[in-house]
Amino acid sequence: MTDMEPASLENLCVLYHSANYIVVNKHWDIRIDSKMWYEKQTVQSQLKLRFPDLVDPGTYYGFRFCHQLDFSTSGALCVALSKAAAGNAYRCFKDRLVTKAYLALLRGTVEKETMTLNFAIGKNIAEGKTHMMCIDGTEDCENPKPSQTELKVLEYGTYDGEPVTKVLLQPLTGRTHQLRVHCSAVGHPIVGDYTYSLGKDNSPYRMMLHAYNLRIPLPKEPIHVTAPDPFLPHIDTKWVPERLMKTLEGALEHLLDWCKEEESKPPDETSLVDEKISSPEETEEQRAQCQQWLSEWSLD
């Protein structure tokens, strides 16, 4: 199956598999899970079909996801195969030790080659937009929380004749729709993002956002996985690169080196995120995530 074809239950790309974890390359048009009876095609269903012996009957869906990816986002997605494994992964996420890097095609020409996006993100409570998030200062933006994303320009080019920029994105916080909202906030929405273009960007076959690299420094089983770059001209001929600014390999190596330096510093010296963002206390959001990942889901 090529990247441009719709997802199917049979086509599950496994990037990493051990006794404790599976990392898959999630397709771009499939939900992780769903309680809707009519939604048969999910990553959970793919896992059950491929690994029936690994289904955990003590959970609602059968598998525990260590993090989330939107329906339209592709790429590396980690699944824990036991409650203990989920707990170990959760601690890495809680302590902000996990490194995630995304690839995206953005509308327009991003002039600054490196940017730090620092827009607080909240829930949009405006009528007709309650499925969306928004930045602080926007009308009807409820309870905005500090959010930070690092952006590095890789290439300039065109998509279907229109100017676009290929970038590497590193979220330093984990807000809902963070990368989509941040890119939109600087005037460069992600190509094919129907929601944050208010329904205008509907011609591309997918949203061009991909979870490219995932690094979870588990003490006994460090995971470092790359999901192949889908934004290449031989995969999608509408994407035409014109000017290379930074190789993907070089940008990723620089990012990982920086993260390793941060990890080696004493806790009070790390600058991974602004002090107002990083907190030693577990937040309600983190507790909710923990309960979601670790709970023995019931069928009610």
Side-chain angles (χ1 to χ4, degrees), residues 51-262:
F51 303 106
D53 295 342
L54 298 180
V55 174
D56 185 344
T59 66
Y60 185 93
Y61 294 109
F63 292 90
R64 293 178 175 87
F65 291 104
C66 298
H67 55 114
Q68 298 289 314
L69 288 180
D70 292 343
F71 169 79
S72 302
T73 304
S74 60
L77 177 67
C78 185
V79 182
L81 298 178
S82 69
K83 194 170 182 178
N88 290 333
Y90 165 72
R91 280 186 281 277
C92 286
F93 278 90
K94 175 180 176 293
D95 294 338
R96 300 191 186 280
L97 299 175
V98 176
T99 304
K100 292 186 282 186
Y102 291 71
L103 287 171
L105 296 183
L106 306 186
R107 290 288 179 190
T109 301
V110 180
E111 293 185 1
K112 288 187 177 180
E113 290 184 34
T114 302
M115 298 174 67
T116 298
L117 310 181
N118 270 317
F119 301 98
I121 293 176
K123 185 169 178 56
N124 196 327
I125 58 173
E127 186 176 354
K129 295 184 178 180
T130 54
H131 61 297
M132 299 174 66
M133 306 300 284
C134 50
I135 61 169
D136 190 16
T138 306
E139 189 176 359
D140 296 316
C141 191
E142 184 179 69
N143 193 25
K145 296 179 180 178
S147 311
Q148 189 171 329
T149 301
E150 296 293 330
L151 180 153
K152 287 182 172 55
V153 170
L154 300 175
E155 286 182 283
Y156 296 113
T158 61
Y159 188 84
D160 204 13
E162 299 293 327
V164 298
T165 306
K166 185 174 182 177
V167 299
L168 186 70
L169 299 168
Q170 181 193 9
L172 298 183
T173 49
R175 311 302 179 204
T176 301
H177 297 178
Q178 176 173 317
L179 301 180
R180 300 165 67 182
V181 173
H182 273 177
C183 291
S184 180
V186 293
H188 298 285
I190 295 171
V191 173
D193 191 342
Y194 182 84
T195 299
Y196 289 96
S197 68
L198 301 179
K200 295 176 183 176
D201 199 351
N202 60 0
S203 57
Y205 75 97
R206 62 164 289 180
M207 182 176 73
M208 305 299 176
L209 180 62
H210 177 72
Y212 175 68
N213 191 270
L214 176 66
R215 179 174 174 269
I216 309 176
L218 294 155
K220 295 183 179 179
E221 185 184 345
I223 294 174
H224 189 188
V225 178
T226 296
D229 178 4
F231 307 138
L232 300 171
H234 72 270
I235 295 175
D236 185 356
T237 55
K238 291 185 177 182
W239 159 235
V240 181
E242 294 177 346
R243 186 158 52 109
L244 178 68
M245 305 304 293
K246 194 180 279 91
T247 66
L248 175 55
E249 293 76 13
L252 183 65
E253 184 179 3
H254 182 266
L255 183 155
L256 294 174
D257 286 345
W258 178 77
C259 289
K260 288 174 183 175
E261 285 178 16
E262 292 293 325

